[in-house]
Amino acid sequence: MKINFNINGIKKELDLPPQKALCDVIREDFGFTGTKVGCREGECGACTVLMDGENVNSCLVPAISADGREIVTIEGIYSYPEAEVIRDKFMQHGAVQCGYCIPGMVISSYALLKKNPDPSENDIRTGLSGNLCRCTGYRKIIEAVDASAKELRRKAEEK
Amino acid sequence: MKNMPGYFPKSLSEALLILKDAKEKGLKLKIAAGCTDILPRAESFPDIFADGIIDITDIEELKSIGIKDGKLVIGSCVTHTQLAESPIIREKAGALASAASEIGSPQIRNRGTIGGNICNASPVGDTLPSMYVLNAVMRIVSADENGCIMERMVPVKDFIKGPGRTDIGPYEILAGIYAEIPSENEIFRYIRSSARKALAISKSSVAFRGIKENGRFRSVRIALGCVGPVIKEGIACKELIESGEVSDSMADRLEEAVAKDCSPIDDLRSTKEYRSYIVSVFLKKIIMGQE
């Protein structure tokens, strides 16, 4: 069936099975391979993308449910200045090891900070509770998100 | 992957006409709201979609939370994030907001809906125990052969028929939920036990509602999750708790009452002994005001 996609601002009408997972549409039909696929059951969060501004597991979204919605992946999120700050803080704090979870981590961090610009450590842990990382032990990721929040607030005050 | 029809209606009447049409053609569509369970399940059960899929998640009129005639009215496509953050739910039925806030992860809560959680009819569903103690009534809608909208109301305990089984027909939609609002002097709590905070299915859960006056409880309602094929009502627990003043000896007898009310099983998540025990601990904490 024909479905209208809008992924990172690229609009395409594709003829696909409605139950095809959005993560596969993103990777196979749009070539955005920054979105990683881990568990295919919503546990690991590696496939996290923004759908109409909210972070969702793209492995759980049937293609039909993305019809007409705005999808943003790790490739698209850097058009937002906030995401650049998050990327820089992840780098500065050594929050990335193997990197497989990072696209999802960055998307969830962005969604969290959009909603809550001044999160406590507990808020950060809850905000990232749908993203698993098997390398870092989370400490450096949490520090990076905390530093991103501070930097974004500083920038907002400057304005 | 099999190509099949898919529908993404934007209004309830559009959805009902799609279903009416499917009924006339003898087609069976999988109705989904939130879809967080459907793709993983399709890995093991590819026939889950039957002849097609209809995603009702985007129907705006099923996404509101309000109060009507003294009852909470919750649209079936309200997400867990919406429930957890709604000022109305937090103020009027805080335990339901906290139940919703503990489901899955932020990503799952952004998509998963209360209607989907209820229609899954899982004994481990985190919104269900609260539905039982709030005497929730399900509003089920369908279109008749003339396209007129039909409506029926079913109390939650008649709606849930068994694990994964509900009273809803293949061409009907759960449109909304009407739930009682606990009065201001009422205690309403939901507690669950799970291996970790996020992305863990409950081992046991308790929803409790009751009025405490002069050290005694009255109008108690208890629903126990994960301790049977469906949510269990805590009848022996209610009798015990209403029998006199709250005391240590009452608390000590809770385990016995829990054993009368439910017969949990061992499975990959927990054991029957732990499940019964932790339910009695939760009830004890609630009646003693320790949580």
Side-chain angles (χ1 to χ4, degrees):
Chain A
M1 66 168 297
K2 294 219 161 76
I3 303 171
N4 288 297
F5 294 96
N6 172 359
I7 301 180
N8 297 332
I10 297 172
K11 293 180 183 171
K12 280 190 199 175
E13 188 191 64
L14 298 175
D15 191 2
L16 293 176
Q19 75 279 26
K20 181 167 183 173
L22 176 60
C23 58
D24 295 329
V25 178
I26 290 169
R27 292 176 58 89
E28 294 167 10
D29 300 294
F30 279 78
F32 291 121
T33 50
T35 299
K36 304 303 179 202
V37 179
C39 65
R40 286 191 184 273
E41 52 183 28
E43 288 280 332
C44 76
C47 68
T48 302
V49 299
L50 293 179
M51 183 151 91
D52 288 346
E54 288 187 317
N55 52 333
V56 304
N57 300 112
S58 63
C59 71
L60 299 182
V61 178
I64 177 78
S65 312
D67 185 88
R69 302 252 195 147
E70 193 190 20
I71 310 293
V72 178
T73 72
I74 191 70
E75 288 91 345
I77 203 165
Y78 291 123
S79 60
Y80 306 142
E82 298 91 332
E84 285 186 20
V85 170
I86 296 170
R87 178 191 59 197
D88 293 347
K89 294 297 170 194
F90 267 64
M91 280 157 53
Q92 285 166 19
H93 285 261
V96 180
Q97 288 189 26
C98 89
Y100 202 83
C101 71
I102 296 301
M105 283 287 179
V106 170
I107 301 263
S108 286
S109 302
Y110 175 86
L112 165 70
L113 296 179
K114 263 280 165 205
K115 213 167 180 174
N116 180 359
D118 190 8
S120 64
E121 180 178 332
N122 197 37
D123 294 337
I124 297 173
R125 286 182 180 274
T126 306
L128 298 182
S129 59
N131 295 79
L132 300 185
C133 171
R134 298 287 84 151
C135 305
T136 63
Y138 301 101
R139 186 73 255 161
K140 291 178 176 181
I141 293 177
I142 289 160
E143 284 167 9
V145 177
D146 184 53
S148 306
K150 291 196 172 100
E151 176 68 8
L152 289 169
R153 289 205 305 279
R154 193 185 63 77
K155 286 194 165 183
E157 274 165 24
E158 267 177 14
K159 273 184 193 163
Chain B
M1 189 178 281
K2 185 175 131 191
N3 209 335
M4 59 173 81
Y7 304 93
F8 198 25
K10 306 293 173 206
S11 73
L12 186 58
S13 52
E14 188 190 342
L16 292 174
L17 290 178
I18 293 166
L19 288 171
K20 172 185 167 281
D21 192 49
K23 187 180 183 180
E24 282 163 4
K25 291 181 179 147
L27 298 174
K28 227 180 137 189
L29 303 178
K30 179 68 191 171
I31 305 173
C35 309
T36 51
D37 274 345
I38 200 166
L39 292 184
R41 210 171 287 175
E43 297 264 311
S44 330
F45 306 101
D47 294 339
I48 189 169
F49 297 109
D51 301 311
I53 173 172
I54 169 167
D55 179 2
I56 63 167
T57 317
D58 231 19
I59 299 179
E60 207 49 50
E61 60 208 280
L62 303 183
K63 287 175 160 306
S64 65
I65 297 170
I67 295 176
K68 198 181 160 197
D69 303 328
K71 294 250 171 103
L72 280 175
V73 187
I74 306 170
S76 57
C77 294
V78 164
T79 63
H80 303 310
T81 298
Q82 254 182 296
L83 264 188
E85 293 175 359
S86 154
I88 296 177
I89 302 291
R90 288 167 75 128
E91 190 198 325
K92 302 290 183 191
L96 179 57
S98 86
S101 75
E102 290 182 289
I103 293 174
S105 64
Q107 290 95 314
I108 299 212
R109 293 194 287 274
N110 283 342
R111 290 273 296 152
T113 61
I114 185 167
N117 198 243
I118 292 171
C119 289
N120 267 347
S122 164
V124 301
D126 278 305
T127 61
L128 273 177
S130 299
M131 293 295 112
Y132 277 70
V133 301
L134 298 177
N135 292 318
V137 175
M138 307 294 129
R139 178 174 163 248
I140 300 167
V141 296
S142 56
D144 72 5
E145 56 272 24
N146 302 316
C148 295
I149 294 183
M150 313 282 285
E151 174 183 303
R152 62 193 182 96
M153 307 290 274
V154 182
V156 67
K157 63 176 188 210
D158 300 326
F159 183 79
I160 305 290
K161 296 281 188 196
R165 287 189 299 118
T166 68
D167 185 50
I168 206 159
Y171 304 105
E172 291 183 311
I173 288 176
L174 171 63
I177 297 118
Y178 289 74
E180 287 177 2
I181 298 174
S183 55
E184 279 184 12
N185 60 344
E186 222 170 324
I187 292 171
F188 173 39
R189 295 279 185 278
Y190 176 75
I191 314 182
R192 71 168 199 151
S193 140
S194 58
R196 57 196 176 105
K197 269 191 176 172
L199 288 165
I201 292 171
S202 298
K203 296 177 180 195
S204 276
S205 60
V206 175
F208 177 96
R209 205 183 144 187
I211 299 170
K212 193 176 183 183
E213 268 171 355
N214 307 321
R216 285 183 74 133
F217 271 102
R218 63 180 171 85
S219 308
V220 169
R221 281 190 62 97
I222 296 167
L224 310 173
C226 329
V227 291
V230 294
I231 303 294
K232 292 281 180 182
E233 295 196 62
I235 293 164
C237 293
K238 167 192 163 77
E239 273 175 20
L240 171 65
I241 291 168
E242 287 179 344
S243 68
E245 263 185 50
V246 174
S247 63
D248 287 337
S249 77
M250 176 189 283
D252 290 340
R253 278 181 289 149
L254 275 169
E255 229 180 312
E256 211 176 292
V258 169
K260 280 186 201 159
D261 281 329
C262 63
S263 42
I265 56 163
D266 292 336
D267 67 8
L268 74 171
R269 277 189 290 277
S270 191
T271 62
K272 55 188 179 215
E273 290 83 9
Y274 179 79
R275 287 190 152 113
S276 302
Y277 171 70
I278 202 71
V279 162
S280 70
V281 171
F282 289 159
L283 283 170
K284 180 178 168 185
K285 283 186 168 184
I286 294 167
I287 63 169
M288 308 289 268
Q290 290 167 345
E291 54 67 59

